[in-house]
Amino acid sequence: MLWSGSSPLSVMRQSMWGFLLFAGVAWLAVGWSVLRLEPADIVGVAAPVIFFGALCEVVRALAGTRTWWVNASMAVLFTATGVVLLLDRDSTYTTPASLIGWFLMVRGAVDVAVATMNRGTDRTWGLMECLGVLQVALGFYAASPWARTADPVIVTLGALAVLRAVADLTTGLRLREVAAARNDVLRLSPEREAGVAGYSAGLADFEGQPRARHRADTFHEQVVRTTGDLDARIAEAGVTAKPGAANRVPHDAPRVPDSPEEMVEGAEKRR
């Protein structure tokens, strides 16, 4: 995740992908150069390579990723490793091989951990995890008794540079992709802008209107209103009724039969 802003530091963080791409190309140049070294020069070259790895960790920390503190810690650790290599005056290859193996094992373990943590958000996590496993295996080989001569140390240092080149190039391109996506995330095409504007206007008009009441309440109010209007019209026509007139039964009204026999008897009397 990149930090955004208009300050010079924020702009520098957003352009860190370019520095990582440059670091990846530089790692390739280092790997090619190391493989062409004489065995006597490998002791003096190992420390600058470790220092360059520490500088790349500083660049990664300034990139503003979530694991910046891990990169900053490794920058300090690798700087101390490079200092130990410079101060060591042993003519053998034991100390360079062991410290190169230390660098590879730490860097590879961190790559595996970070790739596993980002497996849900970064589609390149599989590649980074494979690179981490290869670095750990190469570091294990460099720290073992098998790498005590010049040729294994040269090959290990060259492989280190190639693996770091792939990792930095991948990270730089990924940061560039994320930065471009964050800059364009609010940019819409003209058609979508028109659609969003129309939808917003319609939503504002809808919210400005009074909220519709329940259908049952509206129907009840209509019935009451209609009944009241009917009563008013009847009163205007002069039709009045005394209280209780609706319940009064006329004297000459025929009796309602209570049974079928009474109905038959009443019909015979009417004949």
Side-chain angles (χ1 to χ4, degrees):
M1 182 182 297
L2 297 178
W3 296 350
S4 59
S6 57
S7 63
L9 183 59
S10 299
V11 174
M12 183 180 68
R13 283 169 177 164
Q14 291 182 354
S15 61
M16 278 300 165
W17 63 270
F19 291 99
L20 287 175
L21 291 180
F22 174 78
V25 175
W27 274 120
L28 289 176
V30 169
W32 180 81
S33 301
V34 166
L35 293 176
R36 297 180 62 84
L37 289 176
E38 295 296 331
D41 300 330
I42 194 65
V43 178
V45 171
V49 171
I50 300 298
F51 280 134
F52 184 68
L55 178 62
C56 292
E57 297 302 325
V58 173
V59 173
R60 284 173 173 263
L62 293 176
T65 59
R66 293 183 299 173
T67 57
W68 65 270
W69 56 275
V70 177
N71 299 115
S73 301
M74 286 193 299
V76 176
L77 181 63
F78 295 156
T79 301
T81 304
V83 171
V84 172
L85 276 172
L86 285 178
L87 297 178
D88 183 72
R89 297 301 179 182
D90 191 3
S91 59
T92 63
Y93 300 101
T94 303
T95 301
S98 60
L99 292 180
I100 290 171
W102 161 257
F103 174 87
L104 282 167
M105 293 177 71
V106 173
R107 181 66 259 190
V110 171
D111 282 342
V112 171
V114 173
T116 303
M117 182 180 66
N118 295 332
R119 65 184 183 276
T121 58
D122 189 1
R123 67 173 183 273
T124 62
W125 72 273
L127 175 62
M128 299 304 297
E129 189 160 1
C130 290
L131 290 175
V133 172
L134 289 176
Q135 289 175 94
V136 171
L138 189 62
F140 181 81
Y141 170 77
S144 66
W146 300 321
R148 291 293 183 267
T149 59
D151 291 339
V153 177
I154 291 175
V155 173
T156 301
L157 198 59
L160 179 156
V162 172
L163 291 176
R164 295 314 308 160
V166 175
D168 286 344
L169 288 174
T170 303
T171 304
L173 292 174
R174 181 59 177 161
L175 286 177
R176 181 179 182 275
E177 181 182 15
V178 173
R182 290 182 63 87
N183 291 332
D184 297 338
V185 68
L186 296 179
R187 296 180 183 177
L188 299 176
S189 61
E191 294 79 6
R192 291 189 176 183
E193 289 182 357
V196 171
Y199 175 78
S200 301
L203 185 62
D205 294 340
F206 175 77
E207 292 178 352
Q209 296 178 357
R211 181 177 295 180
R213 289 170 293 183
H214 196 270
R215 182 177 181 183
D217 297 338
T218 304
F219 177 75
H220 175 72
E221 292 180 359
Q222 290 179 356
V223 170
V224 173
R225 190 182 307 109
T226 303
T227 306
D229 294 342
L230 181 60
D231 293 340
R233 292 179 181 277
I234 293 175
E236 290 177 358
V239 179
T240 57
K242 296 180 180 181
N247 298 326
R248 187 176 59 188
V249 180
H251 296 288
D252 56 349
R255 187 172 62 85
V256 178
D258 296 332
S259 62
E261 291 78 7
E262 292 182 356
M263 293 177 62
V264 173
E265 181 181 357
E268 292 178 352
K269 289 181 178 180
R270 285 194 296 271
R271 290 177 183 175

